[in-house]
């Protein structure tokens, strides 16, 4: 048992709420208490979304994400921007004598700097998720193997972007808002043409999609985002619901981006 502990009360517990769980977390700058509350007067949120308000997002390292409408969100690279400061503090830790109070002070300072980077990344993820869910009711994304990507030469950039954390936040916030996030297969989303469906092989450094079959020409990530959206629309659950909305039981086929430009 902890006994009596002094706390900095972030906000008072509302009347009528029941405390279900309490978790204590140790971080670089102290201990945090997180409470899970229940209020039986709050109605259960039921899914309520417009299936025609759908977008696909392609997460990447050039841009944090690109939507199927061609909109991009810049990648902030919080860790890389903080590397110089982290390197200075890490050297300070290495120079201090092990077990000394000055070393402990330097270790705490290093931990606080890492926490600052993590907090900035988390704040960016929440704001980006809120922005997407305010515009779209259904969001499709690639079902990525982030652990596998973290073992490649791009590991530092992949972990700095924090795709897993972002997609988890996006899914949870969508569920709480009665909206939908759909994972789709990541196989060949960048290689397949979003207009004609033909495979157009290209290496990672080639950032533009030029289809020799139909003449479709657009950014590689934009092309992938359209493929992701189309795959989500083709999933049995969404397809069945779209069929029920369509006239005479026939769903509208998603219009490829290149066809819209013609």
């Amino acid at each position: 048992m902890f006994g009596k502990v002094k706390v900095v009360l972030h906000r008072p517990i509302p009347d009528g709420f029941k405390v279900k769980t309490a978790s204590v977390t140790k971080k670089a700058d102290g201990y945090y208490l997180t409470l899970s509350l229940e209020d039986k007067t709050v109605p259960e949120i039921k899914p309520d979304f417009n299936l025609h308000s759908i977008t696909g997002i392609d997460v990447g390292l050039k841009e944090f994400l690109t939507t199927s409408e061609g909109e991009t969100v810049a990648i902030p690279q919080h860790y890389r921007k903080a590397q110089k400061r982290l390197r200075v503090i890490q050297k300070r830790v290495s120079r201090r004598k092990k077990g000394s109070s000055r070393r402990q002070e330097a270790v705490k300072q290093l931990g606080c700097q890492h926490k600052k980077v993590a907090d900035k990344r988390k704040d960016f993820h929440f704001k980006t998720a809120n922005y997407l869910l305010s515009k779209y009711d259904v969001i499709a994304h690639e079902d990525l193997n982030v652990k596998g990507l973290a073992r490649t030469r791009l590991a530092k950039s992949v972990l700095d972007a924090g795709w897993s954390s972002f997609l988890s936040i996006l899914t949870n916030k969508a569920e709480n808002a009665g909206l939908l996030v759909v994972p789709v297969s990541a196989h060949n989303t960048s290689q397949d043409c979003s207009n004609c469906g033909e495979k157009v092989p290209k290496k990672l450094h080639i950032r533009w999609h030029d289809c020799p079959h139909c003449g479709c020409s657009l950014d590689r990530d934009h092309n992938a985002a359209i493929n992701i959206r189309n795959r989500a629309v083709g999933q049995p659950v969404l397809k069945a619901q779209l069929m029920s909305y369509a006239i005479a039981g026939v769903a509208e086929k998603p219009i490829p981006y290149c066809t819209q430009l013609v």
Side-chain angles (χ1 to χ4, degrees), residues 24-187:
V24 179
T25 308
K26 183 182 179 181
K27 296 188 178 181
D29 58 348
Y31 290 86
Y32 288 81
L33 173 66
T34 305
L35 300 176
S36 175
L37 306 177
E38 180 188 24
D39 182 11
K40 293 183 179 179
T41 62
V42 177
E44 183 180 351
I45 297 174
K46 296 181 180 179
D48 181 22
F49 47 82
N50 178 10
L51 288 171
H52 294 286
S53 177
I54 182 171
T55 189
I57 58 171
D58 178 63
V59 292
L61 298 177
K62 181 187 174 186
E63 304 286 350
F64 181 72
L65 65 83
T66 304
T67 69
S68 52
E69 284 70 38
E71 187 178 3
T72 60
V73 175
I75 192 164
Q77 294 186 323
H78 296 297
Y79 180 77
R80 287 191 179 274
K81 289 177 181 177
Q83 266 189 302
K84 187 176 180 180
R85 175 65 178 159
L86 288 168
R87 193 179 297 115
V88 170
I89 303 174
Q90 184 63 62
K91 285 182 179 179
R92 191 177 299 160
V93 172
S94 301
R95 292 193 189 105
R96 303 284 163 86
K97 185 179 178 180
K98 290 185 178 180
S100 67
S101 59
R102 294 187 71 206
R103 183 184 174 91
Q104 290 178 357
E105 184 183 342
V107 168
K108 184 177 179 180
Q109 189 179 10
L110 181 63
C112 287
Q113 189 64 32
H114 276 290
K115 181 180 179 296
K116 187 176 180 181
V117 173
D119 288 345
K120 282 184 177 181
R121 185 185 297 117
K122 188 176 181 180
D123 180 66
F124 168 74
H125 288 164
F126 269 101
K127 286 178 178 177
T128 306
N130 278 330
Y131 173 71
L132 289 173
L133 292 171
S134 68
K135 288 190 69 175
Y136 307 103
D137 288 1
V138 182
I139 299 172
H141 67 85
E142 291 176 308
D143 189 9
L144 295 171
N145 177 18
V146 180
K147 285 186 178 179
L149 292 169
R151 299 190 191 102
T152 66
R153 60 188 178 87
L154 299 172
K156 184 185 289 186
S157 297
V158 170
L159 294 174
D160 190 14
W163 295 332
S164 289
S165 173
F166 168 69
L167 294 175
S168 176
I169 289 169
L170 182 67
T171 303
N172 289 335
K173 291 192 76 65
E175 184 179 348
N176 292 336
L179 305 177
L180 186 64
V181 173
V182 184
V184 301
S185 171
H187 184 63

Side-chain angles (χ1 to χ4, degrees), residues 190-251:
S190 295
Q191 308 296 331
D192 294 345
C193 178
S194 58
N195 188 44
C196 65
E198 292 290 334
K199 187 174 181 179
V200 184
K202 43 190 170 291
K203 294 183 178 180
L204 188 60
H205 69 275
I206 301 173
R207 306 309 306 171
W208 197 259
H209 170 78
D210 280 310
C211 180
H213 305 283
C214 66
C216 180
S217 179
L218 69 167
D219 184 82
R220 174 197 181 109
D221 295 337
H222 187 188
N223 176 71
I226 296 171
N227 282 328
I228 292 166
R229 182 195 63 192
N230 292 345
R231 287 183 185 185
V233 172
Q235 285 195 353
V237 176
L238 286 181
K239 199 172 183 180
Q241 293 190 49
L242 281 170
M243 289 278 284
S244 65
Y245 283 121
I247 300 173
V250 180

